[in-house]
Amino acid sequence: LERYAKFVKERLEIEQTYAKQLRFTSCLSFYSILNELNDYAGQREVVAEEMGHKVYGELMRYSQDLKGERKHHLQEGRKAQQSLDQCWKHMDNSKKKFERECKEAEKSQLIYERLDSDINATKSEVEKAKSQLYLRQHMAEESKNEYAAQLQNFNSEQWKHFNVAIPQIFKNLQDMDGRRTVKLGEMYQSFAEVEQRVIPIISKCLEGMVTAAKNVDERRDSGIVVESFKSGFEPPGDFPFEDFSQNIQRTGSDGTIGTPKTEGGKPDPKHAVSRTKNKLWLFGKKPKLPPSIPPPPPSLPRFLSGHFQPPKFSTERIANHLSKIRNAKSKIPSFRAVKRGAPTLEDLSHLPPEQRRKKLQQRIDELNKELQKEMDQRDALNKMKDVYEKNPQMGDPGSLQPKISETICNMEKLRSEIHKNESWLAEVEGKHGSRSERRASADVNHHAPHGRESPEGSYTDDHSQEHRSPPQPDPHEFDYEFDDDDPLPAIGHCKALYSFDGSNEGTLVMKENEVLYIIEEDKGDGWTRVRKQGGEEGYVPTSYVEISLEKNSKGAVTYI
């Protein structure tokens, strides 16, 4: 319920801010420009959609068709070339066969002539050589005829290839490229037409933006600002003349000269305490009122004390206002959630001792967990390496060595970090040894509010506010609280256990063993409001001081 209530509250503030801004003509014009930009973006979406469907989609589809057609023409060209190559191979084979048969016929003729002229050769050998000659001559003649036919066929196919087939293929490719060029021009035109169709609407959007810009009225906006933030201050009246010579005894003739009295002894309302006490002064502190004149001492003669009446001011009103200011609850919780603005150091030395100790201990625990994980990973890798060494078929043991080395390196780094943080923790615990008894008594007598630990831990339910900064009020928001002539009463005193630099706005610089006055107790956020003997006020960490409250204030409690 609280979380939802917080959400509703934040939403309510957003709605109020939004409604307030809509009253300004500049905000209304900006809202109109955003609406026009929305329409402008819609037209750009129309352009993108039409370009996608009518231009890009058509180009991709036509490109695929052209690729298929080009592939078909190139395949036809390859087929024609392959057919011509096949004819050339047949012709070449028949030529080689004819040449071979002619050589065989010539050889047979030489053998026949040699046997025919040899007287020792038998008739049968001569006849056999003669028949062989006739056979070779016949085969040569057939090879000659086949070679002639193949040659004629190749010449015919070659003429068709270079004069018919190839020119036709080139013509088809040329026609295809012409159609591609025409289609590209059409797409150029479609691209421009898509942009041209939305130009009128875009022009109207731009005209609407120009109109919205012209509707900005600086006088009206200035009037709204003045109406929203006008202070209602009234100029102060003239200061009255204060005659300090009235105590001097005058002669009778001088009695007619004197300071005029205000009617009925009532003060001039112009010089009363300003009714705008709780409002902000823009250019600095409020102008201080003139102090009231004290009553005449009782030792003065009766005739002098009755001779004149000094100007009276409404001291009761002033006392009433001062009592209200003293008893009013401080508005500091409204800005106590501001985070500390100091930079974060590695050793956390910028934090109070108790916070630093807790943070260091938490960091050491996290590093020990990481170290344990790395050790478990190293053991697992070593076991896997042993398994690989025993069973080489499962994997290469050498492949795990880089990972093992990396794990060992990470372990060394973590050990170094743990050692460094432990040294810082030992340093903090050494400083806190002398304060352990005092802190134990503080735990008994000074319990933190519900939902928080002690102010030293600065723990709250909201984890984002773990380290709260000292209250940093707006430089003008609470001027009327801290600029009063009468300071807040002291409710106790404290002794500084450590030095504090007070670098943030609203904090107070203090030195070790310095004694300070307490003017406001710790509200549970770890900060106490104190005042120095010189009158300087501010906030210091509660864990840095030893506090003692007066017995007659706030329950008569004394704690450290």
Side-chain angles (χ1 to χ4, degrees), residues 24 45 92 110 113 184-185 205 232 271 286 354 379 486 557:
F24 292 93
E45 290 177 355
D92 188 59
L110 292 175
E113 291 177 354
L184 191 59
C205 295
H271 308 300
K286 303 183 299 297
E354 187 63 23
D379 297 340
D486 293 335
V557 179

Side-chain angles (χ1 to χ4, degrees), residues 53-205:
H53 292 292
K54 296 183 179 180
V55 181
Y56 177 74
E58 182 67 18
L59 282 173
M60 294 302 296
R61 182 189 62 78
Y62 194 74
S63 176
Q64 293 296 329
D65 295 341
L66 287 181
K67 286 180 180 179
E69 185 178 354
R70 178 175 178 272
K71 183 178 180 180
H72 174 69
H73 294 323
L74 294 179
Q75 286 178 350
E76 288 183 351
R78 281 193 291 269
K79 288 180 180 179
Q81 187 65 38
Q82 290 174 359
S83 177
L84 183 63
D85 293 342
Q86 192 70 23
C87 291
W88 183 85
K89 287 181 180 179
H90 290 314
M91 185 271 295
D92 188 59
N93 290 334
S94 62
K95 178 182 178 181
K96 291 179 180 179
K97 183 179 179 182
F98 173 59
E99 182 181 6
R100 187 172 57 253
E101 293 296 336
C102 288
K103 289 180 180 180
E104 291 293 335
E106 291 177 357
K107 184 178 180 182
S108 298
Q109 185 176 0
L110 292 175
I111 293 173
Y112 171 72
E113 291 177 354
R114 182 173 57 81
L115 291 175
D116 188 39
S117 59
D118 188 5
I119 58 174
N120 295 323
T122 61
K123 185 178 181 180
S124 60
E125 290 178 349
V126 173
E127 291 294 333
K128 184 177 180 181
K130 185 178 180 180
S131 61
Q132 186 68 22
L133 174 61
Y134 289 155
L135 178 61
R136 290 297 178 182
Q137 289 178 349
H138 179 68
M139 292 178 65
E141 188 66 25
E142 289 181 351
S143 299
K144 180 181 178 180
N145 295 333
E146 183 180 357
Y147 168 63
Q150 291 294 336
L151 179 61
Q152 184 178 2
N153 183 41
F154 172 74
N155 290 332
S156 176
E157 291 295 329
Q158 181 175 264
W159 186 89
K160 291 180 181 179
H161 177 79
F162 289 104
N163 292 278
V164 179
I166 294 300
Q168 184 63 34
I169 292 173
F170 284 154
K171 185 177 182 301
N172 293 336
L173 289 173
Q174 186 177 4
D175 294 341
M176 182 193 69
D177 190 73
R179 287 184 277 108
R180 177 191 64 83
T181 306
V182 172
K183 190 67 174 179
L184 191 59
E186 293 176 355
M187 291 297 101
Y188 290 161
Q189 183 177 356
S190 299
F191 183 88
E193 289 176 350
V194 168
E195 187 79 19
Q196 190 177 15
R197 279 194 291 271
V198 299
I199 284 178
I201 302 177
I202 291 178
S203 299
K204 291 182 180 179
C205 295

Side-chain angles (χ1 to χ4, degrees), residues 335-402:
F335 52 80
R336 283 188 175 177
V338 181
K339 289 189 175 182
R340 186 184 302 272
T344 302
L345 302 177
E346 184 181 5
D347 59 352
L348 305 177
S349 60
H350 64 288
L351 297 176
E354 187 63 23
Q355 292 184 14
R356 184 185 181 192
R357 183 185 66 80
K358 290 185 178 182
K359 283 293 183 180
L360 288 174
Q361 186 62 49
Q362 182 180 0
R363 185 187 293 177
I364 291 173
D365 295 340
E366 293 176 356
L367 291 173
N368 284 326
K369 291 180 182 179
E370 294 293 331
L371 179 60
Q372 186 62 38
K373 290 181 181 179
E374 295 292 337
M375 293 174 64
D376 295 341
Q377 185 176 1
R378 180 200 59 186
D379 297 340
L381 291 172
N382 287 330
K383 290 181 181 180
M384 189 179 298
K385 183 179 179 181
D386 294 339
V387 173
Y388 285 176
E389 290 176 351
K390 294 178 181 179
N391 300 301
Q393 66 274 9
M394 296 183 65
D396 182 15
S399 62
L400 299 176
Q401 189 59 38

